[in-house]
Short mmCIF file of all heavy atoms in Angstrom, two decimals:
data_model
loop_
_atom_site.label_atom_id
_atom_site.label_comp_id
_atom_site.label_asym_id
_atom_site.label_seq_id
_atom_site.Cartn_x
_atom_site.Cartn_y
_atom_site.Cartn_z
N GLU J 1 66.61 123.41 148.59
CA GLU J 1 66.00 123.90 149.84
C GLU J 1 64.58 124.37 149.61
O GLU J 1 63.69 124.16 150.43
CB GLU J 1 66.84 125.04 150.42
CG GLU J 1 68.17 124.60 150.97
CD GLU J 1 69.09 125.76 151.33
OE1 GLU J 1 68.73 126.94 151.08
OE2 GLU J 1 70.18 125.50 151.86
N ALA J 2 64.34 125.02 148.47
CA ALA J 2 63.01 125.56 148.17
C ALA J 2 62.02 124.43 147.84
O ALA J 2 60.82 124.59 148.06
CB ALA J 2 63.07 126.55 147.01
N TYR J 3 62.53 123.32 147.34
CA TYR J 3 61.69 122.17 146.96
C TYR J 3 62.28 120.92 147.62
O TYR J 3 62.81 120.04 146.95
CB TYR J 3 61.63 122.02 145.43
CG TYR J 3 61.05 123.24 144.77
CD1 TYR J 3 61.87 124.29 144.33
CD2 TYR J 3 59.68 123.38 144.62
CE1 TYR J 3 61.33 125.43 143.76
CE2 TYR J 3 59.13 124.51 144.04
CZ TYR J 3 59.96 125.53 143.62
OH TYR J 3 59.42 126.66 143.05
N PRO J 4 62.16 120.84 148.96
CA PRO J 4 62.79 119.73 149.69
C PRO J 4 62.23 118.37 149.26
O PRO J 4 61.03 118.23 149.04
CB PRO J 4 62.48 120.04 151.15
CG PRO J 4 61.33 120.98 151.13
CD PRO J 4 61.41 121.72 149.83
N GLY J 5 63.13 117.41 149.15
CA GLY J 5 62.73 116.06 148.82
C GLY J 5 62.41 115.83 147.35
O GLY J 5 61.94 114.76 146.98
N VAL J 6 62.68 116.82 146.51
CA VAL J 6 62.33 116.69 145.09
C VAL J 6 63.57 116.46 144.23
O VAL J 6 63.67 115.47 143.53
CB VAL J 6 61.55 117.93 144.59
CG1 VAL J 6 61.24 117.82 143.10
CG2 VAL J 6 60.27 118.12 145.39
N PHE J 7 64.52 117.39 144.29
CA PHE J 7 65.65 117.34 143.36
C PHE J 7 66.90 116.74 144.00
O PHE J 7 67.16 116.91 145.19
CB PHE J 7 65.96 118.75 142.84
CG PHE J 7 64.83 119.34 142.05
CD1 PHE J 7 64.06 120.37 142.57
CD2 PHE J 7 64.52 118.86 140.79
CE1 PHE J 7 63.00 120.91 141.84
CE2 PHE J 7 63.46 119.39 140.06
CZ PHE J 7 62.71 120.41 140.59
N ASN J 8 67.68 116.07 143.17
CA ASN J 8 68.92 115.43 143.57
C ASN J 8 70.06 116.44 143.41
O ASN J 8 70.43 116.79 142.29
CB ASN J 8 69.14 114.20 142.68
CG ASN J 8 70.44 113.49 142.95
OD1 ASN J 8 71.26 113.93 143.73
ND2 ASN J 8 70.64 112.38 142.25
N LEU J 9 70.60 116.91 144.52
CA LEU J 9 71.65 117.93 144.49
C LEU J 9 72.89 117.43 143.75
O LEU J 9 73.52 118.19 143.01
CB LEU J 9 72.02 118.40 145.90
CG LEU J 9 73.05 119.52 145.99
CD1 LEU J 9 72.57 120.77 145.23
CD2 LEU J 9 73.36 119.85 147.43
N ASP J 10 73.25 116.17 143.91
CA ASP J 10 74.42 115.63 143.20
C ASP J 10 74.23 115.74 141.68
O ASP J 10 75.16 116.06 140.95
CB ASP J 10 74.67 114.16 143.58
CG ASP J 10 75.14 114.02 145.01
OD1 ASP J 10 75.76 114.97 145.53
OD2 ASP J 10 74.87 112.96 145.62
N TYR J 11 73.01 115.48 141.24
CA TYR J 11 72.74 115.60 139.81
C TYR J 11 72.83 117.05 139.37
O TYR J 11 73.43 117.36 138.33
CB TYR J 11 71.35 115.04 139.47
CG TYR J 11 71.00 115.23 138.01
CD1 TYR J 11 71.55 114.41 137.04
CD2 TYR J 11 70.14 116.24 137.60
CE1 TYR J 11 71.25 114.58 135.68
CE2 TYR J 11 69.83 116.42 136.26
CZ TYR J 11 70.39 115.60 135.31
OH TYR J 11 70.11 115.78 133.98
N LEU J 12 72.25 117.95 140.15
CA LEU J 12 72.27 119.36 139.76
C LEU J 12 73.69 119.90 139.69
O LEU J 12 74.03 120.66 138.78
CB LEU J 12 71.42 120.18 140.72
CG LEU J 12 69.93 119.84 140.78
CD1 LEU J 12 69.22 120.74 141.77
CD2 LEU J 12 69.29 119.92 139.41
N LEU J 13 74.53 119.51 140.64
CA LEU J 13 75.90 120.02 140.69
C LEU J 13 76.82 119.35 139.69
O LEU J 13 77.62 120.01 139.02
CB LEU J 13 76.46 119.87 142.10
CG LEU J 13 75.77 120.69 143.19
CD1 LEU J 13 76.37 120.36 144.55
CD2 LEU J 13 75.85 122.18 142.92
N ASP J 14 76.74 118.01 139.60
CA ASP J 14 77.74 117.26 138.84
C ASP J 14 77.18 116.35 137.77
O ASP J 14 77.93 115.65 137.10
CB ASP J 14 78.58 116.41 139.81
CG ASP J 14 79.21 117.25 140.90
OD1 ASP J 14 79.77 118.32 140.57
OD2 ASP J 14 79.15 116.86 142.08
N GLY J 15 75.84 116.26 137.65
CA GLY J 15 75.26 115.38 136.65
C GLY J 15 75.23 113.92 137.07
O GLY J 15 75.02 113.04 136.24
N GLU J 16 75.45 113.65 138.36
CA GLU J 16 75.47 112.26 138.85
C GLU J 16 74.08 111.84 139.31
O GLU J 16 73.46 112.51 140.12
CB GLU J 16 76.44 112.14 140.03
CG GLU J 16 77.88 112.42 139.65
CD GLU J 16 78.81 112.40 140.84
OE1 GLU J 16 78.41 111.92 141.93
OE2 GLU J 16 79.94 112.87 140.69
N GLY J 17 73.60 110.71 138.77
CA GLY J 17 72.28 110.22 139.15
C GLY J 17 71.21 110.81 138.26
O GLY J 17 71.45 111.14 137.10
N GLY J 18 70.03 110.97 138.83
CA GLY J 18 68.91 111.52 138.08
C GLY J 18 68.44 112.83 138.67
O GLY J 18 68.82 113.21 139.78
N LEU J 19 67.59 113.52 137.95
CA LEU J 19 67.08 114.82 138.37
C LEU J 19 66.35 114.75 139.70
O LEU J 19 66.56 115.59 140.58
CB LEU J 19 66.14 115.38 137.30
CG LEU J 19 65.43 116.69 137.63
CD1 LEU J 19 66.43 117.83 137.76
CD2 LEU J 19 64.39 117.02 136.56
N LEU J 20 65.50 113.73 139.85
CA LEU J 20 64.65 113.65 141.04
C LEU J 20 65.24 112.70 142.07
O LEU J 20 65.94 111.74 141.72
CB LEU J 20 63.24 113.19 140.64
CG LEU J 20 62.55 114.05 139.59
CD1 LEU J 20 61.20 113.46 139.23
CD2 LEU J 20 62.40 115.48 140.06
N LEU J 21 64.92 112.95 143.32
CA LEU J 21 65.42 112.09 144.39
C LEU J 21 64.78 110.72 144.38
O LEU J 21 65.42 109.73 144.67
CB LEU J 21 65.19 112.74 145.76
CG LEU J 21 66.15 113.86 146.12
CD1 LEU J 21 65.76 114.47 147.46
CD2 LEU J 21 67.58 113.35 146.19
N THR J 22 63.50 110.66 144.04
CA THR J 22 62.79 109.38 144.07
C THR J 22 61.97 109.23 142.81
O THR J 22 61.81 110.16 142.03
CB THR J 22 61.83 109.31 145.28
OG1 THR J 22 60.80 110.29 145.10
CG2 THR J 22 62.54 109.55 146.59
N ASP J 23 61.44 108.04 142.65
CA ASP J 23 60.52 107.79 141.53
C ASP J 23 59.08 107.94 141.98
O ASP J 23 58.17 107.44 141.36
CB ASP J 23 60.73 106.37 140.98
CG ASP J 23 62.07 106.24 140.31
OD1 ASP J 23 62.56 107.25 139.77
OD2 ASP J 23 62.65 105.14 140.32
N ALA J 24 58.89 108.64 143.11
CA ALA J 24 57.54 108.84 143.64
C ALA J 24 56.73 109.64 142.64
O ALA J 24 57.27 110.34 141.79
CB ALA J 24 57.62 109.59 144.97
N PRO J 25 55.40 109.53 142.72
CA PRO J 25 54.55 110.32 141.83
C PRO J 25 54.90 111.80 141.95
O PRO J 25 55.34 112.27 143.00
CB PRO J 25 53.14 110.06 142.34
CG PRO J 25 53.24 108.83 143.16
CD PRO J 25 54.64 108.75 143.66
N MET J 26 54.67 112.51 140.87
CA MET J 26 54.95 113.95 140.85
C MET J 26 54.12 114.66 141.91
O MET J 26 52.94 114.38 142.05
CB MET J 26 54.62 114.55 139.48
CG MET J 26 55.39 113.93 138.36
SD MET J 26 57.13 114.17 138.59
CE MET J 26 57.75 113.26 137.21
N MET J 27 54.77 115.54 142.63
CA MET J 27 54.06 116.31 143.65
C MET J 27 53.26 117.38 142.94
O MET J 27 53.70 117.96 141.96
CB MET J 27 55.05 116.93 144.62
CG MET J 27 55.86 115.89 145.37
SD MET J 27 57.12 116.62 146.40
CE MET J 27 56.12 117.36 147.65
N GLU J 28 52.09 117.66 143.45
CA GLU J 28 51.25 118.67 142.82
C GLU J 28 51.11 119.91 143.69
O GLU J 28 50.15 120.64 143.57
CB GLU J 28 49.88 118.07 142.51
CG GLU J 28 49.97 117.01 141.43
CD GLU J 28 48.63 116.50 141.01
OE1 GLU J 28 47.61 117.11 141.38
OE2 GLU J 28 48.59 115.48 140.32
N GLN J 29 52.06 120.12 144.57
CA GLN J 29 51.99 121.31 145.40
C GLN J 29 52.58 122.47 144.64
O GLN J 29 53.33 122.30 143.70
CB GLN J 29 52.75 121.10 146.70
CG GLN J 29 54.27 121.10 146.53
CD GLN J 29 55.00 120.79 147.80
OE1 GLN J 29 54.72 119.82 148.45
NE2 GLN J 29 55.94 121.62 148.13
N LYS J 30 52.22 123.63 145.05
CA LYS J 30 52.77 124.83 144.45
C LYS J 30 53.65 125.51 145.48
O LYS J 30 53.32 125.50 146.67
CB LYS J 30 51.66 125.78 144.01
CG LYS J 30 50.83 125.21 142.88
CD LYS J 30 49.81 126.19 142.41
CE LYS J 30 49.01 125.57 141.28
NZ LYS J 30 47.99 126.44 140.78
#
């Protein structure tokens, strides 16, 4: 929720998939 569109919740909870939702360039927002 704090970093919408960045992290894959399934991965964080269960290790399924990858850390990030997309292979888009790294966001540089703070």
